Amino acid sequence: MLIEDYHFSEAFYMTIITVSTVGFGEVQALSTAGQWFTSFLIIASFGTFAYGLTLLTQVLISGELAEDIKRRNLNRSISTIKGHVILCGFGRNGRRALRKLVAYGQEVLVIENDPQIIEQYLKSANVLYLEADATDDDVLRQAGVDRANALVTTLSKDADNLFVVISARTLSPSIRLISRASSESTERKLRAVGVDSVVMPEGVGGGHMASLVMNPNIVEFLEHLSVEGSSDSNLEEIELSDLLGEKRSCNLNELHIRQRTGCTIIGIKDPEGNYMINPSSEIILRPKSRLFVLGNARQIKALNDLLAEIHTQNSNT
């Protein structure tokens, strides 16, 4: 049969199944309506496929898929983290606190609800974070407040800091709480609800400037000391129970810290909270006391190795 004899609908129909590479054989001859319907179905299917392919391409190009995978991995890490520090707020004080904690090798989880701060600082940093409101109890639970060692809140509003520490203390009675405050009245309220330490940045800054006027050389000397673990002169705090092992008490000389690590003990905090500066080697040490030692990076590492060795020995006995 010549092409001129084809009905228009048949020609159009054959063109569609050929161009679309469907190319199926007919089980039975189709009517004109069937041919038009099949042609429309093929065209619509290709349109749907093309639209889906376009969306997939946009997702891949824009990085949404990669971001979603990263977010899932982040949530998985957050769900298993423990012994960490929760840092609420990532403003100037929060960023400074993070640098100090990371320098000490402490694992940190940041809670911040400002998308601009997250985009500018947190997404490119190697740190766990939640884009959420720290005053929400569910967010604190998601952050593992019951598994954390400490919570630091540096939010700009005192009321928010107060709310966070009250929630954290309720959810985890033993967690250590450190909060920022901008007034003495807020400091009193924070301590009343069980905050362990309160920092007033303005007061600290003013006191530091006064010290620079009266004792500039002392301040300069103290600035050479570091608690970050990366300076030539570092301060380290030790829980005495880690060193005593099964002993209930001993004198300072029995620990041989100076001989074994090179670190110098410059202070002690007894279980009652009293501080002793430059303690005598004959002083009796009790469990739950804390030692403050001074040393360089190599000596501090030797001290940490000693603590790890004692901890292993106690675990095996």
Side-chain angles (χ1 to χ4, degrees):
M1 183 181 295
L2 298 176
I3 190 66
E4 289 83 7
D5 297 331
Y6 275 84
H7 189 276
F8 175 77
S9 63
E10 278 190 295
F12 180 75
Y13 167 64
M14 294 301 296
T15 301
I16 291 297
I17 65 173
T18 302
V19 172
S20 65
T21 68
V22 173
F24 59 84
E26 296 179 3
V27 177
Q28 62 182 19
L30 295 176
S31 65
T32 300
Q35 292 173 353
W36 280 107
F37 174 77
T38 305
S39 300
F40 172 78
L41 182 62
I42 294 173
I43 294 173
S45 300
F46 264 89
T48 303
F49 174 77
Y51 177 73
L53 183 62
T54 301
L55 288 181
L56 179 61
T57 303
Q58 288 178 346
V59 168
L60 294 175
I61 293 176
S62 63
E64 292 180 9
L65 182 60
E67 186 65 28
D68 183 63
I69 294 174
K70 182 179 179 181
R71 185 77 250 172
R72 289 175 183 271
N73 292 336
L74 186 63
N75 290 336
R76 190 178 299 111
S77 299
I78 291 172
S79 65
T80 59
I81 189 175
K82 62 180 179 178
H84 57 295
V85 174
I86 299 173
L87 179 57
C88 302
F90 205 62
R92 182 176 57 188
N93 292 315
R95 292 193 290 273
R96 185 172 299 176
L98 178 66
R99 286 196 297 269
K100 296 277 188 179
L101 291 167
V102 170
Y104 237 132
Q106 174 65 56
E107 196 163 16
V108 182
L109 170 61
V110 178
I111 303 177
E112 174 58 58
N113 64 353
D114 189 331
Q116 292 184 345
I117 292 178
I118 291 174
E119 187 68 33
Q120 184 175 359
Y121 297 105
L122 290 173
K123 283 191 175 181
S124 58
N126 186 25
V127 61
L128 297 176
Y129 69 90
L130 284 173
E131 185 176 354
D133 184 358
T135 62
D136 188 334
D137 287 6
D138 290 335
V139 172
L140 293 179
R141 291 190 186 95
Q142 185 182 356
V145 67
D146 57 326
R147 305 186 303 273
N149 284 339
L151 180 143
V152 180
T153 176
T154 65
L155 302 176
S156 57
K157 295 181 180 179
D158 286 349
D160 290 341
N161 289 319
L162 184 60
F163 196 92
V164 168
V165 297
I166 291 174
S167 298
R169 180 61 75 206
T170 302
L171 296 171
S172 181
S174 62
I175 192 172
R176 179 170 177 79
L177 298 175
I178 300 98
S179 176
R180 174 189 181 275
S182 58
S183 67
E184 293 181 358
S185 62
T186 301
E187 180 184 8
R188 289 193 296 270
K189 293 173 184 176
L190 288 167
R191 292 194 182 279
V193 297
V195 173
D196 298 283
S197 302
V198 180
V199 178
M200 298 178 62
E202 292 80 4
V204 173
H208 184 74
M209 287 187 284
S211 298
L212 286 171
V213 174
M214 303 304 298
N215 302 293
N217 292 318
I218 293 178
V219 173
E220 184 179 355
F221 171 75
L222 292 175
E223 287 177 348
H224 280 80
L225 303 180
S226 171
V227 294
E228 297 182 20
S230 57
S231 172
D232 288 336
S233 301
N234 301 302
L235 285 171
E236 185 89 0
E237 176 184 350
I238 305 174
E239 170 64 57
L240 195 59
S241 303
D242 296 334
L243 281 171
L244 292 178
E246 296 181 354
K247 294 182 180 180
R248 298 189 61 84
S249 62
C250 70
N251 64 40
L252 189 58
N253 193 45
E254 290 181 58
L255 297 178
H256 304 296
I257 291 180
R258 176 71 178 177
Q259 294 85 342
R260 299 173 72 178
T261 68
C263 293
T264 301
I265 299 175
I266 62 173
I268 297 175
K269 180 182 179 182
D270 65 22
E272 289 74 32
N274 302 312
Y275 288 89
M276 290 168 278
I277 307 301
N278 193 24
S280 166
S281 61
E282 300 302 321
I283 190 171
I284 300 299
L285 302 174
R286 294 174 291 159
K288 296 187 178 180
S289 296
R290 291 184 175 274
L291 302 182
F292 303 97
V293 299
L294 179 65
N296 58 34
R298 178 183 56 80
Q299 293 167 337
I300 294 296
K301 182 180 183 304
L303 177 62
N304 289 329
D305 291 342
L306 173 62
L307 293 176
E309 178 185 341
I310 294 175
H311 179 73
T312 301
Q313 291 174 352
N314 292 337
S315 300
N316 293 333
T317 56

